[in-house]
Amino acid sequence: MAADSEWVLAALERFELPLLRFAATIAGRAQAADVVQDTFLKLCAENRSKVEGHLAAWLFTVCKHRAIELRRSERRLSSMEDVDVQPNPDSGPALELERKQSISRIDAAIEALAEREREALLLKLDAGLSYKQIAEVMNLSVSNVGFILHTAIAKLRAELGRTS
Amino acid sequence: MNSSDPRLTAYAFGELHGEEKARFEAELAGSEALRHELAQIRETIALLGADLMSRPASGLDSDRRRRIASAAKRPARIGPNWAFRGAAAVVAIAAGSVLVVNTFGTAVTNKFENKATHIDSLGEPGVVPPSLASAAPAPTATYESPAQFLPDPALRGARGDGKADGDRRFNREAYDKFDDNPFIHVATDPRSTFSIDVDTASYALVRRHLNDGVLPPKGAVRIEELLNYFKYAYPEPEPGRPFAVQTEVGSAPWASEHRLLRIGIKGKHVAPADVPGTNLVFLIDVSGSMNDENKLPLLKRAFSLLVQQLGAEDRVSIVVYAGASGLVLPPTRGNNRSAILAALERLQSGGSTNGGEGIRLAYQTASEQLVKGGINRVILATDGDFNVGVTSQSELVDLVEQKAKSGVFLSVLGFGGGNYNDSMLEKLADKGNGNYAYIDTLAEARKVLVEQATGTLMTIAKDVKIQIELNPESVEAFRLIGYENRVLAHQDFNDDKKDAGDIGADHTVTALYELVPAGRGLAVPGVDPLKYQAPGRPNPAAKSGELATIKLRYKLPDGDRSELFEVVVRDGGARSGSADFRFAAAVAQFGMLLRDSPYKGSASYEQIVALASDVAHDELRREFIGLAKRARGLAPR
């Protein structure tokens, strides 16, 4: 099983961060680590030949479902706390401040998008998925994905152009 | 023509193909408004990309990683186990790097040109080395096998440039053998002379191999580059000095009778506020071979990290080279990030490589913008596969060497594998008053271009040479560990025309000598005693009890005459040594084991882990322990 173990770990290395951020947009940051952990535990239990060839889409699809599931149960418990637990390890307070200001502007603009726009944008820009892969994850047609992303970029462009 | 045409965004993302793409490009060519629209979309995408890039990059905590790792080792179960959720607060913990698996292809490590006769080709063109062939179905092998992580060819960019074939043709491991420095009798030659080396590429190459599940080729293991990959707590230099030297002597863990002399050099710290204005020229290889995910896309992200740190007083230009070279970003203020990032984002690979033209243009651009007393640097990012153009290697090296004299220095960032040309890149950086790093992951880019940016960019002393003279009363024989390709002739030490390595702000450089103490009748490994000679007649100074004298020569970055300073070393008889000493000893052992050195003595991976574990106080060191464990699993028993 050594090769499979390395296969899983390689997938972890490649997709861990984009998956964490993707999960956070759906289920909140506090849940993201559990969602991603569960996604990879499921990958471990999966037959490799079934997943190979569309690993990225598989991971993000599982991640999305798990995130939605957790979000639902959290809402039922109504105890969802969106705690920021990950300090930025980067240096320089001035740089940090400057970065925070510009990021919060962009982040605010991203937050203002419709949920599926935000999702598609993250899958494209952060995870580097193709339109086709995004279509698979979001259960949409490729041209639908193209339209959603185009709208999202146009909105962000207008928003960022206005505030800068 | 319609500004709400989703094809604009699709085109910017490289999602249009074939006929649709051609049709759209024809429309673009005919419409200024459409082109303007496209430029705006690209700029927005670049801004968003940079924003994502600067978000915190902490991954899963170690508990969750452990669970995944142990689940991965078990055969497939019936269903997922959700039982672990709801764990306590997430603690941002260093990624215990046993688990961090890099996902890159094979490298060509071809270090020493003048030993080309020793090239040991593990695979003929078209033949994958056996060790990799067996691992081939595993995606750990790489991003290069298309159907695994990135099933959609669109994401990988056009492959119509012969790239896919090219990969296979040149995908072979070739490396030069070089021998470990031997023991030398002090009676035969009491001196040792070498140039410092701040390169770190070898460690990243070793890491990539181990994470791919293979032991690195011995020629890729340069112990000095392993040692210098890490930070050590050496004391700061006195004001006015560019660097400080610290020495320490303890016992050699792999040969308990032997002593180990550690020479530690620390470049002065330069506060970010004191970094002078920079004039940076990014020289980027956009040839077809740069197509892979771990090349151009990683390179763009790496440079985005660097751009985040620049300000209004900095200037950035971007020169690309492939079949033709060109200036794609004229000198631009560092605070105009969106323009720089948009230019980076637009880069696409295609064509073959004529590195010579690009280098010429990059230096010309840098010279035109020269900042007196500032940082003037060309940053070359490539896989080193210069395959077109009449320029010979030696001409290129000459060009770089000559330009270094005009105050424009060079940094080389190596990317990718398959056709990777380590030899060329190492030589260019060496001659160009530069440094050389291998970027295998975004984390490595962060280390080189963010955490150690001042060291990478700002040279504080150049042509740094070390000469050590050992006292025959104290030392029978000695051996310099690593630095095999940095050894200088003794007479070159005082010759200011002879080029040597450079040191950047905050850099630490470590050299180790293994010593056989005198007067105890110890055998010298690999060397028989002399039949006709007894040791010569020592000077009175030999009775001083000193172990050795270390002399250093260096020039200031803009100087051409060297300064000298000397340090005397005594052996206090310490056993285990300081934390940094023990860690450096562990790293040296690691290198000796990977190289299967004849001098490895009782070295073992278990000993390395034991030595390093209680001094592994940062993430890089913990990753090292993970790699040592990985190597133990791969090593022949």
Side-chain angles (χ1 to χ4, degrees):
Chain A
M1 292 319 285
D4 272 322
S5 160
E6 290 191 354
W7 177 65
V8 170
L9 296 178
L12 181 63
E13 162 83 349
R14 163 71 177 86
F15 291 108
E16 172 185 13
L17 295 176
L19 280 169
L20 278 168
R21 290 186 283 249
F22 180 66
T25 63
I26 301 173
R29 263 187 229 204
Q31 302 293 329
D34 279 333
V35 171
V36 174
Q37 170 192 276
D38 293 351
T39 303
F40 279 98
L41 289 178
K42 187 159 183 177
L43 181 66
C44 296
E46 197 62 48
N47 194 335
R48 178 170 161 184
S49 59
K50 280 191 194 154
V51 179
E52 214 153 24
H54 67 126
L55 177 64
W58 188 94
L59 284 171
F60 281 92
T61 308
V62 171
C63 177
K64 183 181 170 170
H65 292 152
R66 186 65 188 147
I68 291 170
E69 230 173 277
L70 275 191
R71 180 174 64 182
R72 276 198 209 111
S73 65
E74 281 302 321
R75 278 189 183 153
R76 261 203 308 278
L77 295 167
S78 70
S79 65
M80 190 173 130
E81 279 173 284
D82 206 17
V83 194
D84 189 348
V85 286
Q86 297 178 345
N88 190 333
D90 275 0
S91 54
L95 183 72
E96 185 66 283
L97 184 69
E98 187 190 325
R99 188 180 283 173
K100 257 192 192 132
Q101 281 163 352
S102 72
I103 284 175
S104 60
R105 194 165 62 85
I106 297 177
D107 281 357
I110 293 176
E111 283 310 305
L113 293 174
E115 180 164 354
R116 61 180 199 165
E117 288 167 351
R118 194 162 54 238
E119 238 179 84
L121 193 72
L122 216 62
L123 290 174
K124 179 73 230 173
L125 278 175
D126 191 14
L129 266 54
S130 68
Y131 277 23
K132 210 172 122 200
Q133 290 170 314
I134 297 171
E136 196 177 331
V137 174
M138 296 183 68
N139 208 8
L140 295 166
S141 73
V142 172
S143 62
N144 245 327
V145 169
F147 184 75
I148 290 171
L149 277 170
H150 183 68
T151 315
I153 299 276
K155 280 187 186 171
L156 289 170
R157 197 174 117 204
E159 183 61 26
L160 297 175
R162 201 167 54 76
T163 48
S164 69
Chain B
M1 192 207 84
N2 183 351
S3 75
S4 69
D5 187 343
R7 286 182 306 163
L8 280 162
T9 302
Y11 184 75
F13 278 131
E15 291 273 354
L16 289 191
H17 311 289
E19 219 169 276
E20 197 183 4
K21 183 181 178 190
R23 247 199 325 272
F24 186 71
E25 281 176 343
E27 282 179 48
L28 265 183
S31 163
E32 169 75 42
L34 211 52
R35 287 199 298 275
H36 175 74
E37 197 72 14
L38 179 64
Q40 298 251 305
I41 287 175
R42 279 184 162 149
E43 192 171 321
T44 307
I45 291 172
L47 267 175
L48 294 168
D51 170 55
L52 287 170
M53 215 81 303
S54 58
R55 288 184 182 185
S58 36
L60 285 180
D61 52 294
S62 56
D63 282 353
R64 289 189 176 84
R65 283 179 156 270
R66 247 198 312 277
R67 274 175 216 135
I68 294 167
S70 65
K73 283 197 197 97
R74 286 193 294 272
R77 293 182 317 252
I78 301 116
N81 180 358
W82 300 137
F84 297 113
R85 71 164 293 269
V90 180
V91 185
I93 294 188
S97 303
V98 200
L99 308 178
V100 177
V101 178
N102 292 336
T103 47
F104 299 114
T106 54
V108 174
T109 313
N110 179 8
K111 177 95 180 166
F112 308 114
E113 184 188 54
N114 54 358
K115 292 189 182 170
T117 47
H118 284 155
I119 285 191
D120 195 356
S121 184
L122 252 189
E124 287 305 308
V127 178
V128 179
S131 54
L132 288 168
S134 63
T140 40
T142 170
Y143 285 142
E144 298 190 339
S145 38
Q148 281 159 352
F149 288 142
L150 307 165
D152 190 338
L155 191 65
R156 301 175 57 78
R159 302 283 294 202
D161 55 356
K163 168 72 194 162
D165 294 340
D167 252 15
R168 234 161 276 130
R169 226 166 343 132
F170 297 105
N171 198 350
R172 52 176 192 162
E173 297 236 333
Y175 54 90
D176 290 332
K177 285 179 182 166
F178 64 93
D179 293 330
D180 292 55
N181 286 326
F183 273 103
I184 296 172
H185 264 285
V186 176
T188 321
D189 186 353
R191 277 178 301 195
S192 164
T193 310
F194 67 102
S195 151
I196 66 154
D197 180 6
V198 296
D199 297 346
T200 57
S202 175
Y203 186 81
L205 284 165
V206 165
R207 173 173 60 203
R208 202 207 53 195
H209 277 91
L210 291 175
N211 283 337
D212 277 354
V214 289
L215 290 170
K218 288 170 195 170
V221 183
R222 305 187 283 269
I223 296 179
E224 72 279 14
E225 296 190 22
L226 308 188
L227 287 169
N228 291 332
Y229 185 84
F230 298 95
K231 277 183 104 70
Y232 303 92
Y234 298 155
E236 278 291 317
E238 293 162 23
R241 287 270 193 197
F243 55 81
V245 179
Q246 190 203 42
T247 61
E248 186 176 355
V249 186
S251 69
W254 57 88
S256 56
E257 309 249 66
H258 294 177
R259 305 295 285 166
L260 195 60
L261 163 61
R262 183 195 56 152
I263 304 172
I265 300 175
K266 168 76 171 66
K268 72 176 172 193
H269 175 72
V270 177
D274 297 332
V275 175
T278 57
N279 158 30
L280 302 179
V281 179
F282 296 167
L283 173 57
I284 300 178
D285 180 351
V286 292
S287 63
S289 68
M290 291 294 286
N291 226 343
D292 303 351
E293 188 69 17
N294 59 346
K295 294 183 182 176
L296 199 57
L298 178 61
L299 180 159
K300 288 181 183 180
R301 303 170 94 199
F303 275 129
S304 308
L305 290 175
L306 180 58
V307 170
Q308 302 288 333
Q309 307 168 79
L310 300 177
E313 67 286 0
D314 302 317
R315 295 281 182 285
V316 172
S317 323
I318 302 179
V319 172
V320 297
Y321 66 92
S325 50
L327 187 66
V328 297
L329 180 75
T332 302
R333 281 181 187 277
N335 59 349
N336 191 357
R337 282 182 205 156
S338 57
I340 302 172
L341 294 172
L344 275 174
E345 191 56 42
R346 274 196 299 272
L347 299 179
Q348 287 185 348
S349 58
S352 43
T353 321
N354 180 355
E357 270 313 299
I359 288 186
R360 253 181 259 280
L361 180 60
Y363 274 111
Q364 188 194 327
T365 308
S367 302
E368 283 164 11
Q369 297 290 315
L370 200 74
V371 179
K372 282 249 182 284
I375 295 172
N376 299 284
R377 193 171 279 272
V378 170
I379 304 179
L380 168 63
T382 177
D383 58 10
D385 184 24
F386 298 158
N387 53 17
V388 174
V390 288
T391 324
S392 73
Q393 284 210 2
S394 59
E395 267 178 85
L396 263 185
V397 171
D398 285 350
L399 173 78
V400 165
E401 188 166 19
Q402 181 203 332
K403 292 293 180 182
K405 294 198 176 86
S406 72
V408 179
F409 292 179
L410 181 71
S411 288
V412 177
L413 305 178
F415 286 84
N419 44 3
Y420 189 67
N421 189 341
D422 185 49
S423 155
M424 183 68 187
L425 299 183
E426 210 267 348
K427 224 172 293 141
L428 284 176
D430 192 13
K431 295 298 179 190
N433 283 2
N435 40 52
Y436 168 37
Y438 178 76
I439 308 292
D440 56 345
T441 59
L442 196 60
E444 186 64 19
R446 203 175 269 276
K447 173 178 184 281
V448 174
L449 296 175
V450 180
E451 286 150 29
Q452 297 169 8
T454 40
T456 304
L457 300 179
M458 190 175 172
T459 300
I460 53 162
K462 62 179 185 185
D463 294 341
V464 184
K465 301 169 189 172
I466 299 179
Q467 185 166 74
I468 174 168
E469 182 187 344
L470 292 134
N471 182 352
E473 293 285 309
S474 312
V475 181
E476 177 78 25
F478 64 94
R479 185 173 88 79
L480 172 60
I481 299 175
Y483 294 90
E484 277 84 2
N485 66 334
R486 301 284 168 156
V487 170
L488 298 173
H490 298 325
Q491 66 268 25
D492 288 349
F493 182 69
N494 290 327
D495 184 348
D496 282 353
K497 287 196 213 66
K498 295 285 178 194
D499 196 55
D502 310 299
I503 185 169
D506 263 330
H507 271 155
T508 53
V509 177
T510 298
L512 296 175
Y513 277 93
E514 184 175 350
L515 310 175
V516 180
R520 291 202 223 147
L522 294 172
V524 177
V527 185
D528 291 330
L530 291 175
K531 181 175 173 187
Y532 301 112
Q533 266 187 43
R537 286 172 312 195
N539 287 331
K543 298 289 176 202
S544 59
E546 294 170 7
L547 187 72
T549 296
I550 299 168
K551 295 187 285 185
L552 282 103
R553 280 200 176 274
Y554 65 93
K555 297 175 195 155
L556 293 175
D558 51 358
D560 47 22
R561 291 193 51 186
S562 67
E563 321 235 353
L564 173 72
F565 81 85
E566 290 190 13
V567 186
V568 167
V569 190
R570 291 168 183 277
D571 185 353
R575 286 206 59 79
S576 60
S578 67
D580 277 347
F581 182 94
R582 278 175 283 157
F583 187 75
V587 175
Q589 278 194 73
F590 179 62
M592 287 193 285
L593 284 175
L594 290 177
R595 291 185 48 71
D596 193 22
S597 165
Y599 310 107
K600 65 186 177 188
S602 65
S604 69
Y605 290 110
E606 287 75 14
Q607 195 176 43
I608 292 168
V609 173
L611 257 179
S613 289
D614 61 330
V615 292
H617 45 55
D618 65 30
E619 197 164 326
L620 295 179
R621 293 185 177 196
R622 284 190 287 272
E623 182 189 51
F624 168 76
I625 293 172
L627 289 181
K629 289 178 179 166
R630 216 163 220 286
R632 179 179 55 188
L634 295 167
R637 305 256 163 194

